[in-house]
Amino acid sequence: MGVLSTLIRGLVRGADRMSEFTSKRGSRTHNKGRGARPAGLKLPSTKFLAIRAMIPELVVPPLDGFKLRPYVSYRAPKGSEPPLTAQSLFDEVVAPQIKKDFEAGTLSKDQLEKYGFEPTQEGKLFKLYPKNYVR
Amino acid sequence: MRLTALLSMAARVVVPKDYRYGTNRPWTVAAKRLNPPGKRRRKVFVEPIAPEEWPVLRGDTVEILAGKDKGKQGKVIQVFRRRNWVILEGLNTHHRYIGKTPDYRGTYIASEAPILLHDVALIDPSDRKPTEIEWRYTEEGERVRVSLRTGRVIPKPVVERRDGIVPQQWKDGPKDTSTEDALEKTYIPSLKTLEEEVMEKLGIQENRRHQRSYWY
């Protein structure tokens, strides 16, 4: 609407060649998508076969007794927790176990898997690198 | 190219070097009416004040030292650094008609005129009289304004939010998390990702793995 009103003012003539040609412009029969991921297969008989696994499904855990809500009150002050880093996570989760085993004398460098060390990302569903999950 | 040039003209205003800044912002219609491109006016001389030395902030209470409303105290509404101007609420006013149409004479309102920073002085909170100000550092290292007559520190005015919300007087709605719930620390650090934890909790087992794929 803004583009057309500037045209009507008579200062500039002609079609708008520089804006992006989206599915909102063009005629009714002009069918253009906005980049959605396919949710199935296009069959050779011009039919579409929807595959259940390709359609995204939201998995929500049960929220009974969940106290957090969409918005936060204005009265809440800024939090004082330091941002979570890999170093801090290691210090909280892994370091105490290693220290305990070292003091007991059972620490061995070949058995680092029990502390969470992963030598390869093969065979894992959610790989850390290359990252294949959204969050 | 012509249309994008036209539309980008509204976004960013290029102002000539000898532009005379007024009370209207340069991109508004009123400012373009008063200062059309190509208009040259006599130069106004503005005393250069360093940004760190600027004493008056929006929301401060100041007293007028010279002019029509000499001796009155008011709150600062707007500050114009380019011209060293300050606009106080309801002071140094002249009256004019606003919203005039061919059949209506318009509403008669009082509009404030800007006052030079030189004709205005900050008020000492202890005796409520105008004083000279200096910027000094406290013991903690904080930079504050100190009144030269009494040595009292003048605190910075409370910045009001544009939407008028006062955080301390906010009443929680049905969709608001309360303060205690928001500040509660419930994170248990673990080496699992969020997806792995949710799968474990809901008992979902996924034995299929991604196919090997390549992209170029």
Side-chain angles (χ1 to χ4, degrees):
Chain A
M1 227 278 288
V3 169
L4 281 180
S5 63
T6 47
L7 285 178
I8 287 162
R9 253 189 260 144
L11 294 166
V12 190
R13 285 200 296 151
D16 177 13
R17 285 189 197 172
M18 301 315 292
S19 303
E20 190 193 342
F21 193 81
T22 73
S23 54
K24 288 194 169 264
R25 304 173 60 189
S27 66
R28 278 189 288 219
T29 53
H30 180 248
N31 181 14
K32 192 180 175 204
R34 275 322 270 271
R37 295 286 294 266
L41 297 165
K42 273 165 66 168
L43 297 175
S45 63
T46 68
K47 278 200 188 164
F48 184 79
L49 177 70
I51 299 171
R52 182 84 186 262
M54 284 168 87
I55 300 169
E57 189 191 324
L58 292 176
V59 175
V60 182
L63 292 177
D64 323 306
F66 190 59
K67 286 177 284 187
L68 301 180
R69 288 190 199 161
Y71 303 96
V72 178
S73 164
Y74 277 105
R75 279 178 285 135
K78 293 223 164 79
S80 56
E81 291 266 323
L84 182 71
T85 58
Q87 179 73 48
S88 67
L89 189 61
F90 180 87
D91 287 337
E92 279 179 36
V93 178
V94 180
Q97 293 174 16
I98 294 184
K99 196 169 174 194
K100 200 167 65 137
D101 283 350
F102 180 71
E103 266 143 30
T106 54
L107 180 72
S108 76
K109 294 216 179 102
D110 317 320
Q111 285 173 353
L112 290 176
E113 272 82 15
K114 55 184 181 176
Y115 307 118
F117 174 63
E118 280 146 9
T120 51
Q121 298 287 314
E122 300 291 317
K124 278 181 72 178
L125 183 56
F126 298 110
K127 296 185 185 157
L128 289 177
Y129 51 89
K131 191 170 166 194
N132 62 0
Y133 56 97
V134 172
R135 298 183 133 262
Chain B
M1 199 52 225
R2 301 169 282 175
L3 256 175
T4 43
L6 183 76
L7 292 171
S8 63
M9 259 156 56
R12 229 228 108 121
V13 176
V14 177
V15 133
K17 220 158 50 124
D18 52 356
Y19 185 84
R20 180 178 278 224
Y21 288 89
T23 44
N24 300 301
R25 311 253 157 106
W27 54 85
T28 46
V29 166
K32 284 182 190 151
R33 202 153 166 230
L34 289 171
N35 292 337
K39 182 162 186 187
R40 307 208 51 186
R41 289 199 62 176
R42 211 167 287 180
K43 184 177 156 125
V44 278
F45 294 95
V46 168
E47 183 201 342
I49 300 183
E52 309 85 51
E53 294 301 317
W54 185 267
V56 178
L57 302 169
R58 190 173 62 142
D60 268 334
T61 328
V62 295
E63 181 166 324
I64 306 180
L65 305 172
K68 193 165 67 143
D69 291 332
K70 179 174 169 172
K72 292 194 188 158
Q73 297 182 357
K75 192 166 87 147
V76 172
I77 299 295
Q78 238 185 324
V79 156
F80 298 86
R81 296 284 290 268
R82 295 266 184 183
R83 301 277 303 256
N84 288 356
W85 277 346
V86 156
I87 293 199
L88 306 184
E89 193 176 16
L91 292 177
N92 200 24
T93 55
H94 52 272
H95 292 73
R96 62 182 173 120
Y97 285 96
I98 200 171
K100 232 161 94 139
T101 50
D103 19 325
Y104 175 51
R105 65 171 170 219
T107 331
Y108 194 60
I109 59 153
S111 69
E112 300 92 353
I115 310 174
L116 265 182
L117 184 68
H118 177 75
D119 299 333
V120 133
L122 274 169
I123 289 173
D124 197 333
S126 50
D127 54 359
R128 285 182 302 185
K129 294 266 176 7
T131 44
E132 292 297 314
I133 293 297
E134 205 181 36
W135 282 98
R136 284 192 207 149
Y137 289 91
T138 55
E139 299 268 317
E140 289 89 31
E142 203 193 320
R143 196 157 177 264
V144 287
R145 300 175 289 186
V146 170
S147 136
L148 290 177
R149 196 181 56 220
T150 44
R152 166 93 158 72
V153 160
I154 295 175
K156 272 194 179 167
V158 173
V159 179
E160 281 149 12
R161 286 177 58 120
R162 260 217 180 146
D163 44 19
I165 295 173
V166 182
Q168 291 312 312
Q169 294 166 11
W170 176 254
K171 286 195 197 36
D172 288 345
K175 290 190 184 173
D176 280 323
T177 331
S178 63
T179 321
E180 309 82 48
D181 287 335
L183 292 176
E184 208 181 304
K185 192 178 175 226
T186 50
Y187 175 58
I188 305 157
S190 76
L191 294 175
K192 289 196 184 303
T193 58
L194 175 75
E195 287 82 8
E196 282 168 6
E197 268 186 50
V198 169
M199 272 171 71
E200 207 181 326
K201 184 123 192 257
L202 294 181
I204 301 169
Q205 265 153 18
E206 186 64 66
N207 296 321
R208 305 171 291 177
R209 290 288 175 265
H210 293 286
Q211 293 274 27
R212 233 200 129 103
S213 74
Y214 302 88
W215 60 276
Y216 303 94

Coordinates of all heavy atoms in Angstrom, one line a residue, chain A residues 2-61:
Chain A
G2 N 1.9 1.2 0.7 CA 2.8 2.4 0.8 C 3.5 2.6 -0.5 O 3.6 3.7 -1.0
V3 N 3.8 1.5 -1.2 CA 4.5 1.6 -2.5 C 3.6 2.3 -3.5 O 3.9 3.2 -4.2 CB 5.0 0.3 -3.0 CG1 5.4 0.3 -4.4 CG2 6.1 -0.3 -2.1
L4 N 2.3 1.8 -3.5 CA 1.4 2.3 -4.5 C 1.0 3.8 -4.2 O 0.8 4.6 -5.2 CB 0.1 1.5 -4.5 CG 0.2 0.2 -5.2 CD1 -1.1 -0.6 -5.2 CD2 0.6 0.4 -6.7
S5 N 0.9 4.2 -3.0 CA 0.6 5.6 -2.7 C 1.7 6.5 -3.1 O 1.4 7.6 -3.6 CB 0.2 5.7 -1.2 OG 1.4 5.5 -0.5
T6 N 2.9 6.1 -3.0 CA 4.0 6.9 -3.5 C 3.9 7.1 -5.0 O 4.2 8.1 -5.6 CB 5.4 6.4 -3.1 OG1 5.4 5.0 -3.4 CG2 5.7 6.6 -1.7
L7 N 3.5 6.0 -5.7 CA 3.3 6.0 -7.1 C 2.2 7.0 -7.5 O 2.4 7.8 -8.4 CB 3.0 4.6 -7.7 CG 4.1 3.6 -7.7 CD1 3.6 2.3 -8.2 CD2 5.2 4.1 -8.6
I8 N 1.1 6.9 -6.8 CA 0.0 7.8 -7.1 C 0.3 9.2 -7.0 O -0.2 10.1 -7.6 CB -1.3 7.4 -6.3 CG1 -1.8 6.0 -6.8 CG2 -2.4 8.4 -6.4 CD1 -2.7 5.3 -5.8
R9 N 1.3 9.5 -6.1 CA 1.7 10.9 -5.9 C 2.3 11.5 -7.2 O 2.4 12.7 -7.3 CB 2.7 11.1 -4.8 CG 2.1 11.7 -3.6 CD 3.1 12.0 -2.6 NE 3.1 11.0 -1.5 CZ 4.2 10.6 -0.9 NH1 5.4 11.1 -1.2 NH2 4.2 9.7 0.1
G10 N 2.5 10.7 -8.1 CA 2.9 11.2 -9.5 C 4.4 11.5 -9.6 O 4.8 12.0 -10.6
L11 N 5.2 11.2 -8.6 CA 6.6 11.6 -8.6 C 7.4 10.6 -9.5 O 8.3 10.9 -10.2 CB 7.2 11.6 -7.2 CG 6.7 12.8 -6.3 CD1 7.1 12.5 -4.9 CD2 7.2 14.1 -6.8
V12 N 7.0 9.3 -9.3 CA 7.7 8.2 -9.9 C 6.7 7.4 -10.8 O 5.6 7.2 -10.4 CB 8.4 7.3 -8.9 CG1 9.4 6.3 -9.5 CG2 9.1 8.1 -7.8
R13 N 7.1 6.9 -11.9 CA 6.2 6.1 -12.7 C 6.8 4.7 -12.9 O 8.0 4.6 -12.9 CB 6.0 6.8 -14.1 CG 5.1 8.0 -14.0 CD 4.5 8.3 -15.4 NE 5.6 8.7 -16.3 CZ 5.5 8.5 -17.6 NH1 4.5 7.9 -18.1 NH2 6.5 8.9 -18.4
G14 N 6.0 3.7 -13.2 CA 6.5 2.4 -13.6 C 6.4 1.4 -12.4 O 6.1 1.8 -11.3
A15 N 6.6 0.1 -12.8 CA 6.5 -0.9 -11.8 C 7.7 -0.9 -10.8 O 8.8 -0.3 -11.2 CB 6.4 -2.3 -12.5
D16 N 7.6 -1.5 -9.7 CA 8.7 -1.6 -8.7 C 9.5 -2.8 -9.0 O 9.1 -3.9 -8.8 CB 8.0 -1.7 -7.3 CG 9.1 -1.8 -6.2 OD1 10.2 -1.6 -6.5 OD2 8.7 -2.1 -5.1
R17 N 10.7 -2.5 -9.6 CA 11.5 -3.7 -10.0 C 12.5 -4.1 -8.9 O 13.1 -5.1 -8.9 CB 12.4 -3.3 -11.1 CG 11.7 -3.2 -12.5 CD 12.8 -3.0 -13.5 NE 12.2 -2.5 -14.7 CZ 13.0 -2.1 -15.8 NH1 14.3 -2.1 -15.7 NH2 12.4 -1.7 -16.9
M18 N 12.6 -3.3 -7.8 CA 13.7 -3.5 -6.9 C 13.2 -4.3 -5.7 O 14.0 -5.0 -5.0 CB 14.3 -2.2 -6.4 CG 14.9 -1.4 -7.5 SD 15.9 -2.3 -8.7 CE 17.3 -2.8 -7.7
S19 N 11.9 -4.3 -5.3 CA 11.5 -5.0 -4.1 C 11.4 -6.5 -4.5 O 11.3 -6.9 -5.6 CB 10.1 -4.6 -3.7 OG 10.1 -3.2 -3.4
E20 N 11.5 -7.3 -3.4 CA 11.4 -8.8 -3.6 C 10.1 -9.2 -4.1 O 9.0 -8.8 -3.6 CB 11.7 -9.4 -2.2 CG 11.9 -10.8 -2.2 CD 11.8 -11.3 -0.7 OE1 12.0 -10.5 0.2 OE2 11.6 -12.6 -0.6
F21 N 10.0 -10.1 -5.1 CA 8.7 -10.5 -5.6 C 8.2 -11.7 -4.8 O 8.6 -12.8 -5.1 CB 8.9 -10.9 -7.1 CG 7.6 -11.0 -7.9 CD1 7.0 -9.9 -8.3 CD2 7.1 -12.3 -8.1 CE1 5.8 -10.0 -9.0 CE2 5.9 -12.4 -8.8 CZ 5.2 -11.3 -9.2
T22 N 7.4 -11.5 -3.8 CA 6.9 -12.6 -3.0 C 5.6 -13.1 -3.5 O 5.1 -12.7 -4.5 CB 6.7 -12.1 -1.5 OG1 5.6 -11.3 -1.5 CG2 7.9 -11.2 -1.1
S23 N 5.0 -14.1 -2.7 CA 3.8 -14.7 -3.1 C 2.6 -13.7 -2.9 O 1.5 -14.0 -3.4 CB 3.5 -16.0 -2.4 OG 3.6 -15.7 -1.0
K24 N 2.8 -12.6 -2.3 CA 1.8 -11.6 -2.0 C 1.5 -10.7 -3.3 O 0.5 -10.1 -3.4 CB 2.1 -10.7 -0.9 CG 2.0 -11.4 0.4 CD 2.0 -10.5 1.6 CE 1.6 -11.2 2.9 NZ 0.2 -11.1 3.2
R25 N 2.5 -10.7 -4.2 CA 2.4 -9.9 -5.4 C 2.0 -10.9 -6.5 O 2.0 -12.0 -6.3 CB 3.6 -9.2 -5.7 CG 4.1 -8.3 -4.6 CD 5.4 -7.7 -4.8 NE 5.4 -6.8 -6.0 CZ 6.5 -6.3 -6.6 NH1 7.7 -6.5 -6.0 NH2 6.4 -5.6 -7.7
G26 N 1.7 -10.4 -7.7 CA 1.4 -11.3 -8.8 C -0.1 -11.7 -8.7 O -0.8 -11.4 -7.8
S27 N -0.5 -12.5 -9.8 CA -2.0 -12.8 -9.9 C -2.4 -13.9 -8.9 O -1.5 -14.5 -8.3 CB -2.3 -13.1 -11.3 OG -1.6 -14.4 -11.6
R28 N -3.7 -14.2 -8.9 CA -4.2 -15.2 -8.0 C -3.7 -16.6 -8.4 O -3.5 -17.5 -7.5 CB -5.8 -15.3 -8.2 CG -6.5 -14.3 -7.4 CD -8.0 -14.6 -7.5 NE -8.5 -14.3 -8.8 CZ -9.7 -13.8 -9.0 NH1 -10.4 -13.5 -8.0 NH2 -10.1 -13.5 -10.3
T29 N -3.4 -16.8 -9.7 CA -3.0 -18.1 -10.1 C -1.5 -18.3 -9.9 O -1.0 -19.4 -10.1 CB -3.3 -18.3 -11.6 OG1 -2.8 -17.2 -12.3 CG2 -4.8 -18.4 -11.8
H30 N -0.8 -17.2 -9.6 CA 0.7 -17.3 -9.4 C 0.9 -17.9 -8.1 O 0.7 -17.3 -7.0 CB 1.3 -15.9 -9.5 CG 2.8 -15.9 -9.3 ND1 3.4 -15.4 -8.3 CD2 3.7 -16.4 -10.1 CE1 4.7 -15.6 -8.4 NE2 4.9 -16.2 -9.5
N31 N 1.4 -19.2 -8.0 CA 1.6 -19.9 -6.8 C 3.1 -20.0 -6.5 O 3.9 -20.6 -7.2 CB 1.0 -21.3 -7.0 CG 1.2 -22.1 -5.7 OD1 1.5 -21.6 -4.6 ND2 1.0 -23.4 -5.8
K32 N 3.5 -19.3 -5.4 CA 4.9 -19.3 -5.1 C 5.0 -19.5 -3.6 O 4.1 -19.1 -2.8 CB 5.4 -17.9 -5.4 CG 6.9 -17.8 -5.3 CD 7.4 -16.3 -5.6 CE 8.8 -16.3 -5.4 NZ 9.8 -15.8 -5.2
G33 N 5.9 -20.4 -3.1 CA 6.0 -20.7 -1.7 C 6.9 -19.7 -1.0 O 7.5 -18.8 -1.6
R34 N 6.9 -19.7 0.4 CA 7.7 -18.8 1.1 C 8.8 -19.6 1.8 O 9.3 -19.3 2.9 CB 6.9 -18.1 2.2 CG 6.1 -16.9 1.9 CD 6.7 -15.9 1.0 NE 7.5 -14.9 1.6 CZ 7.1 -13.7 2.0 NH1 5.8 -13.4 2.1 NH2 8.0 -12.8 2.5
G35 N 9.3 -20.7 1.2 CA 10.5 -21.4 1.7 C 10.2 -22.4 2.9 O 11.0 -22.5 3.8
A36 N 9.0 -23.0 2.8 CA 8.7 -24.0 3.9 C 9.4 -25.3 3.5 O 9.6 -25.7 2.4 CB 7.2 -24.3 4.0
R37 N 9.8 -26.1 4.5 CA 10.5 -27.4 4.3 C 9.5 -28.4 3.8 O 8.4 -28.4 4.3 CB 11.2 -27.9 5.6 CG 12.3 -27.0 6.1 CD 13.5 -27.1 5.2 NE 14.1 -28.5 5.3 CZ 15.1 -28.8 6.2 NH1 15.5 -27.9 7.0 NH2 15.6 -30.0 6.2
P38 N 9.8 -29.3 2.8 CA 8.9 -30.3 2.4 C 8.5 -31.3 3.4 O 9.4 -31.7 4.2 CB 9.6 -31.0 1.2 CG 11.0 -30.7 1.4 CD 11.1 -29.4 2.2
A39 N 7.2 -31.7 3.5 CA 6.8 -32.6 4.5 C 6.4 -34.0 3.9 O 5.6 -34.7 4.4 CB 5.6 -32.1 5.3
G40 N 7.0 -34.3 2.7 CA 6.6 -35.6 2.1 C 7.3 -35.7 0.7 O 8.3 -35.0 0.5
L41 N 6.7 -36.5 -0.2 CA 7.3 -36.7 -1.5 C 6.3 -36.3 -2.5 O 5.1 -36.5 -2.4 CB 7.7 -38.2 -1.7 CG 8.7 -38.7 -0.8 CD1 8.7 -40.2 -0.8 CD2 10.1 -38.2 -1.1
K42 N 6.8 -35.7 -3.6 CA 6.0 -35.4 -4.8 C 6.0 -36.6 -5.7 O 7.1 -36.9 -6.3 CB 6.5 -34.1 -5.5 CG 6.0 -32.9 -4.9 CD 6.8 -31.6 -5.3 CE 6.6 -31.3 -6.8 NZ 7.2 -30.0 -7.1
L43 N 4.9 -37.3 -5.9 CA 4.9 -38.5 -6.7 C 4.9 -38.2 -8.2 O 4.4 -37.1 -8.5 CB 3.6 -39.3 -6.3 CG 3.6 -39.9 -4.9 CD1 2.3 -40.6 -4.7 CD2 4.7 -40.8 -4.6
P44 N 5.3 -39.1 -9.0 CA 5.3 -38.8 -10.5 C 3.8 -38.6 -11.0 O 3.7 -38.0 -12.1 CB 5.9 -40.1 -11.1 CG 6.3 -41.0 -10.1 CD 5.9 -40.4 -8.8
S45 N 2.8 -39.0 -10.3 CA 1.4 -38.8 -10.7 C 0.8 -37.5 -10.2 O -0.4 -37.4 -10.0 CB 0.6 -40.0 -10.3 OG 0.5 -40.0 -8.8
T46 N 1.6 -36.5 -10.0 CA 1.3 -35.1 -9.5 C 0.5 -35.2 -8.2 O -0.1 -34.3 -7.7 CB 0.4 -34.3 -10.5 OG1 -0.9 -35.0 -10.6 CG2 1.1 -34.2 -11.8
K47 N 0.6 -36.4 -7.4 CA 0.0 -36.4 -6.1 C 1.1 -36.2 -5.1 O 2.3 -36.3 -5.4 CB -0.6 -37.8 -5.9 CG -2.0 -37.9 -6.5 CD -2.7 -39.1 -5.8 CE -4.0 -39.4 -6.5 NZ -4.6 -40.7 -6.2
F48 N 0.7 -35.9 -3.9 CA 1.7 -35.6 -2.8 C 1.5 -36.6 -1.8 O 0.4 -36.9 -1.3 CB 1.4 -34.2 -2.3 CG 2.5 -33.8 -1.3 CD1 3.7 -33.4 -1.7 CD2 2.2 -33.9 0.1 CE1 4.7 -33.0 -0.8 CE2 3.1 -33.5 1.0 CZ 4.4 -33.1 0.5
L49 N 2.6 -37.3 -1.4 CA 2.5 -38.3 -0.3 C 3.1 -37.7 0.9 O 4.3 -37.5 1.0 CB 3.3 -39.6 -0.8 CG 3.4 -40.7 0.2 CD1 2.1 -41.4 0.4 CD2 4.5 -41.7 -0.2
A50 N 2.3 -37.6 2.0 CA 2.8 -37.0 3.2 C 3.4 -38.1 4.0 O 2.8 -39.1 4.3 CB 1.7 -36.3 4.0
I51 N 4.6 -37.8 4.5 CA 5.4 -38.8 5.3 C 5.3 -38.3 6.8 O 5.7 -37.2 7.1 CB 6.8 -38.9 4.8 CG1 6.8 -39.5 3.4 CG2 7.6 -39.9 5.7 CD1 8.2 -39.4 2.8
R52 N 4.8 -39.2 7.7 CA 4.6 -38.7 9.1 C 5.9 -38.3 9.7 O 5.9 -37.3 10.5 CB 4.0 -39.9 9.8 CG 3.7 -39.7 11.3 CD 2.3 -39.1 11.4 NE 2.1 -38.8 12.8 CZ 1.4 -39.5 13.7 NH1 0.9 -40.7 13.3 NH2 1.3 -39.2 14.9
A53 N 7.0 -38.9 9.4 CA 8.3 -38.6 10.0 C 8.8 -37.2 9.6 O 9.6 -36.6 10.3 CB 9.3 -39.7 9.7
M54 N 8.4 -36.7 8.5 CA 8.9 -35.4 8.0 C 8.0 -34.3 8.5 O 8.4 -33.1 8.4 CB 8.9 -35.4 6.5 CG 10.1 -36.2 5.9 SD 10.0 -36.4 4.2 CE 10.7 -35.0 3.5
I55 N 6.8 -34.6 9.1 CA 6.0 -33.5 9.6 C 6.5 -33.3 11.0 O 6.5 -34.2 11.8 CB 4.5 -33.9 9.6 CG1 4.1 -34.2 8.1 CG2 3.7 -32.8 10.2 CD1 2.7 -34.8 8.0
P56 N 6.8 -32.0 11.4 CA 7.3 -31.8 12.7 C 6.2 -32.0 13.8 O 5.1 -31.6 13.6 CB 7.8 -30.3 12.7 CG 7.2 -29.7 11.5 CD 6.9 -30.8 10.5
E57 N 6.6 -32.6 14.9 CA 5.7 -32.9 16.0 C 6.2 -32.3 17.2 O 7.4 -32.6 17.6 CB 5.5 -34.4 16.1 CG 4.4 -34.8 17.0 CD 4.5 -36.3 17.3 OE1 4.8 -37.1 16.4 OE2 4.2 -36.7 18.5
L58 N 5.4 -31.5 17.9 CA 5.9 -30.9 19.2 C 5.7 -31.9 20.3 O 4.6 -32.4 20.5 CB 5.1 -29.6 19.5 CG 5.3 -28.4 18.5 CD1 4.4 -27.3 18.9 CD2 6.7 -28.0 18.6
V59 N 6.8 -32.2 21.0 CA 6.7 -33.1 22.1 C 6.8 -32.2 23.4 O 7.8 -31.6 23.7 CB 7.9 -34.1 22.1 CG1 7.9 -34.9 23.4 CG2 7.9 -34.9 20.9
V60 N 5.7 -32.1 24.1 CA 5.6 -31.3 25.3 C 5.5 -32.1 26.5 O 4.6 -33.0 26.6 CB 4.4 -30.3 25.2 CG1 4.4 -29.4 26.4 CG2 4.5 -29.5 23.9
P61 N 6.4 -32.0 27.5 CA 6.2 -32.8 28.8 C 5.0 -32.3 29.5 O 4.6 -31.1 29.4 CB 7.5 -32.5 29.5 CG 8.0 -31.2 28.9 CD 7.6 -31.1 27.6

